[in-house]
Amino acid sequence: LTTDPDGEHAASESSSQEPELYSPASPGPQREPISTYFEEKVPIPEDDLTKLFSFRKLWAFTGPGFLMSIAYLDPGNIESDLQSGARAGFKLLWVLLGATIIGLLLQRLAARLGVVTGMHLAEVCNRHYPTVPRIILWLMVELAIIGSDMQEVIGSAIALNLLSVGRIPLWAGVLITIIDTFVFLFLDKYGLRKLEAFFGFLITIMALSFGYEYVRVAPNQGEVLKGMFVPYCSGCGPTQLEQAVGVVGAVIMPHNIYLHSALVKSRDINRENKKEVKEANKYYFIESSIALFVSFLINVFVVAVFAEAFYGRTNMEVSLQCNETGSAHSELFPANNETLEVDIYKGGVVLGCFFGPAALYIWAIGILAAGQSSTMTGTYSGQFVMEGFLNLRWSRFARVLLTRSIAIFPTLLVAVFQDVQHLTGMNDFLNVLQSMQLPFALIPILTFTSLTSLMNDFANGLVWKIGGGLVILVVCAINMYFVVVYVTALNSIVLYVFSALLSIAYLSFVSYLVWRCLIALGVSRLDFRGSVQYPPAVLMDEQPEFDS
């Protein structure tokens, strides 16, 4: 075997004449399709396969990447962006750019898995991991989805609170968000493309809302470009370092890997035709690149606005300005000379104090679009994960109700007992929770996309195996640092002991996943008893278990 420039395995002399049809890695009768999102499949125009590029085909493949990119624009990301600007100015824009590029490479692996195998990541995990690790993996991913969902629902509730000038309390905003999410989720009954167009509309609202703030504040364009392309952070301290780690953790989210691998199944691709599969991989990568470029620009808008207007400001300055403009929220900022601390709620307030009420309301509209769209995609993630790991055969309504309920109750508890003005601590905890779950998406995706028995000619080549492994190692290390910083700040012996015990169990399971991943990458000597098997996955109603 040789490795082509794209990092795929290519057969040598015997395959110089590439056959039109090939045997996919997952033969066998396919089970009945699950109704979530896939009651129809978008047809692909039958252009000449030898054409290098077709806008008609790109348009047909456009949709899944933009739904995936919404996770890069959820309220948790927006809060990380504004804190990055307020705490470090323009100095961490290059971190945001690097994290987005890494995210694109990881999403490429997720899309290829779905296209080549016809299964999403949760289904593949269900077929290849033994029972106990599979259940643990499912629980960990569910925790990540719950954490993300809580941020998204509460973000929408905060937006409604700002738009209603406090008349809609947090708990009521949560209930409204949950109800309208149920309504919007059934839009795909009217056609998959209509649903994708609705998500595109929400992304457009975000771009216009945060773009308005960018134009209104008018950041220094030279500083924006310098911060984006010059990796520096002069004068930075622990606060800025923690913020940089938080940026990476907010951008790369575990449930999004599972989501993207499922969304690409919505196109009508003949998996027995190697050229069609290769073409689908190409167009999905182009579409994902465009989608993440758009999301990156929106994130830059937010960072630059708060870097230009609020970097280095004190609570006293903001309090005086809010008092002068007659803001009803001036009590949020104590009259001291401490550096301004903002979240998505206070961020809207300070924009209103400095740039007028329109800036506050337009900000809230952008946050509402971000929260609503990410809540919907989060619900899809929950359904895909639960269906894939548990092999559920429930009705559509029952599945939506169950996956919504898992996140609804903890979110309602937070909304009832927490004040809308004091949610930053909870947001930090949820970011830590999601950071801890990251290995449970990144390690499996590298494992399965490296298996020739599963991916056939589209398995990762040597470059992608080594590069992917290093990227995942760096991302996980960065996020673990974020967790350690958070835990050490708790100042409680009991919590330290509990965290230590939890860490032992956590690292043991991560080590198990790494062990299986290394065997899949070709380090066969680690398979001491020859007990780890990775046979081709079979899409059948009765799934075999492969115990190690």
Side-chain angles (χ1 to χ4, degrees):
L1 292 177
T2 59
T3 304
D4 69 6
D6 193 35
E8 300 169 359
H9 289 306
S12 54
E13 301 174 304
S14 62
S15 64
S16 57
Q17 299 294 324
E18 182 179 78
E20 181 68 19
L21 299 178
Y22 82 115
S23 177
S26 52
Q30 295 196 2
R31 62 182 180 174
E32 288 297 313
I34 294 172
S35 62
T36 302
Y37 193 78
F38 303 125
E39 290 187 344
E40 63 170 305
K41 289 202 173 185
V42 176
I44 307 301
E46 296 183 1
D47 289 345
D48 185 358
L49 288 175
T50 61
K51 287 179 63 175
L52 291 178
F53 184 79
S54 166
F55 280 105
R56 290 177 68 236
K57 285 195 173 182
L58 178 60
W59 178 248
F61 282 105
T62 296
F66 280 89
L67 268 68
M68 168 273 295
S69 72
I70 284 170
Y72 292 72
L73 296 168
D74 69 359
N77 272 283
I78 301 301
E79 181 156 304
S80 175
D81 292 337
L82 66 89
Q83 289 174 347
S84 174
R87 293 175 180 176
F90 301 97
K91 299 174 185 178
L92 297 181
L93 279 173
W94 63 274
V95 177
L96 176 63
L97 176 61
T100 304
I101 292 172
I102 291 173
L104 173 62
L105 298 178
L106 295 172
Q107 299 299 159
R108 175 187 184 271
L109 294 180
R112 288 168 69 85
L113 180 72
V115 170
V116 174
T117 66
M119 298 179 291
H120 56 73
L121 181 56
E123 292 175 308
V124 176
C125 289
N126 183 27
R127 288 155 179 76
H128 285 83
Y129 284 126
T131 303
V132 173
R134 185 170 68 236
I135 293 174
I136 296 174
L137 195 60
W138 168 62
L139 292 174
M140 294 298 100
V141 178
E142 286 290 353
L143 277 177
I145 293 173
I146 291 171
S148 175
D149 217 17
M150 289 179 69
Q151 287 179 312
E152 293 155 1
V153 172
I154 289 176
S156 296
I158 288 173
L160 291 170
N161 182 272
L162 286 172
L163 288 170
S164 66
V165 198
R167 292 187 180 90
I168 299 179
L170 198 61
W171 63 267
V174 168
L175 290 177
I176 292 171
T177 302
I178 290 167
I179 293 169
D180 63 29
T181 297
F182 269 107
V183 174
F184 290 144
L185 277 172
F186 286 91
L187 281 176
D188 61 5
K189 290 287 186 181
Y190 297 96
L192 183 56
R193 297 296 270 176
K194 291 184 176 65
L195 176 71
E196 292 172 347
F198 179 67
F199 279 101
F201 171 70
L202 292 176
I203 293 174
T204 303
I205 289 178
M206 284 184 264
L208 293 175
S209 298
F210 300 130
Y212 167 84
E213 308 288 358
Y214 186 84
V215 172
R216 180 72 178 81
V217 175
N220 185 311
Q221 302 303 306
E223 288 297 316
V224 171
L225 294 174
K226 182 181 177 183
M228 198 181 300
F229 296 109
V230 179
Y232 81 113
C233 196
S234 61
C236 290
T239 300
Q240 288 74 26
L241 178 59
E242 290 175 22
Q243 189 59 49
V245 172
V247 169
V248 177
V251 168
I252 303 172
M253 304 179 73
H255 71 277
N256 211 31
I257 304 295
Y258 288 86
L259 174 68
H260 199 197
S261 67
L263 293 176
V264 296
K265 293 169 57 179
S266 59
R267 267 50 183 176
D268 189 10
I269 301 165
N270 179 11
R271 291 176 48 248
E272 293 185 351
N273 187 320
K274 183 176 179 179
K275 287 185 177 180
E276 281 196 30
V277 174
K278 190 171 184 178
E279 181 184 65
N281 285 328
K282 178 182 74 174
Y283 282 109
Y284 273 133
F285 182 67
I286 295 172
E287 185 238 3
S288 297
S289 301
I290 296 171
L292 289 188
F293 176 72
V294 172
S295 72
F296 172 70
L297 287 182
I298 295 173
N299 284 314
V300 168
F301 290 162
V302 178
V303 175
V305 164
F306 282 83
E308 180 70 27
F310 305 113
Y311 175 54
R313 288 194 182 272
T314 64
N315 287 324
M316 178 71 76
E317 291 177 85
V318 176
S319 179
L320 289 174
Q321 180 65 30
C322 288
N323 281 323
E324 285 181 13
T325 56
S327 171
H329 305 285
S330 55
E331 75 282 353
L332 285 175
F333 309 100
N336 58 42
N337 287 319
E338 294 182 8
T339 303
L340 176 68
E341 292 285 338
V342 286
D343 51 31
I344 56 175
Y345 179 76
K346 292 180 181 177
V349 171
V350 295
L351 283 171
C353 291
F354 281 80
F355 301 101
L360 186 154
Y361 293 121
I362 292 173
W363 168 263
I365 290 171
I367 296 297
L368 182 61
Q372 188 62 70
S373 57
S374 55
T375 300
M376 293 165 65
T377 54
T379 302
Y380 277 124
S381 298
Q383 291 180 71
F384 293 140
V385 165
M386 188 167 288
E387 291 160 357
F389 277 108
L390 304 184
N391 202 22
L392 290 181
R393 289 296 177 272
W394 293 2
S395 70
R396 175 184 172 81
F397 180 79
R399 283 183 278 110
V400 174
L401 184 62
L402 177 61
T403 52
R404 281 283 77 195
S405 300
I406 290 175
I408 283 172
F409 290 113
T411 306
L412 270 177
L413 288 175
V414 169
V416 170
F417 294 106
Q418 275 277 21
D419 191 291
V420 69
Q421 303 171 10
H422 303 93
L423 289 171
T424 301
M426 188 207 68
N427 189 63
D428 290 342
F429 170 74
L430 293 176
N431 283 336
V432 168
L433 179 66
Q434 292 172 81
S435 295
M436 291 183 65
Q437 314 313 318
L438 203 56
F440 307 128
L442 302 190
I443 296 174
I445 197 64
L446 181 63
T447 300
F448 297 125
T449 54
S450 298
L451 285 175
T452 306
S453 62
L454 184 66
M455 299 290 288
N456 223 328
D457 293 343
F458 295 94
N460 292 330
L462 184 62
V463 173
W464 271 95
K465 287 179 180 179
I466 296 175
L470 290 175
V471 165
I472 290 171
L473 179 63
V474 170
V475 170
C476 291
I478 289 173
N479 281 274
M480 288 304 100
Y481 172 83
F482 184 45
V483 173
V484 170
V485 168
Y486 178 82
V487 171
T488 53
L490 296 176
N491 295 320
S492 169
I493 299 298
V494 175
L495 291 176
Y496 288 160
V497 173
F498 177 74
S499 299
L501 295 174
L502 189 64
S503 297
I504 293 172
Y506 174 84
L507 293 174
S508 298
F509 186 58
V510 171
S511 299
Y512 170 81
L513 295 178
V514 170
W515 172 62
R516 292 187 70 110
C517 180
L518 289 173
I519 294 173
L521 292 175
V523 190
S524 56
R525 64 174 64 92
L526 292 178
D527 189 8
F528 307 112
R529 299 180 181 178
S531 56
V532 177
Q533 300 178 32
Y534 285 118
V538 180
L539 293 173
M540 301 179 68
D541 286 330
E542 291 188 9
Q543 305 299 334
E545 290 184 7
F546 305 106
D547 293 323
S548 62

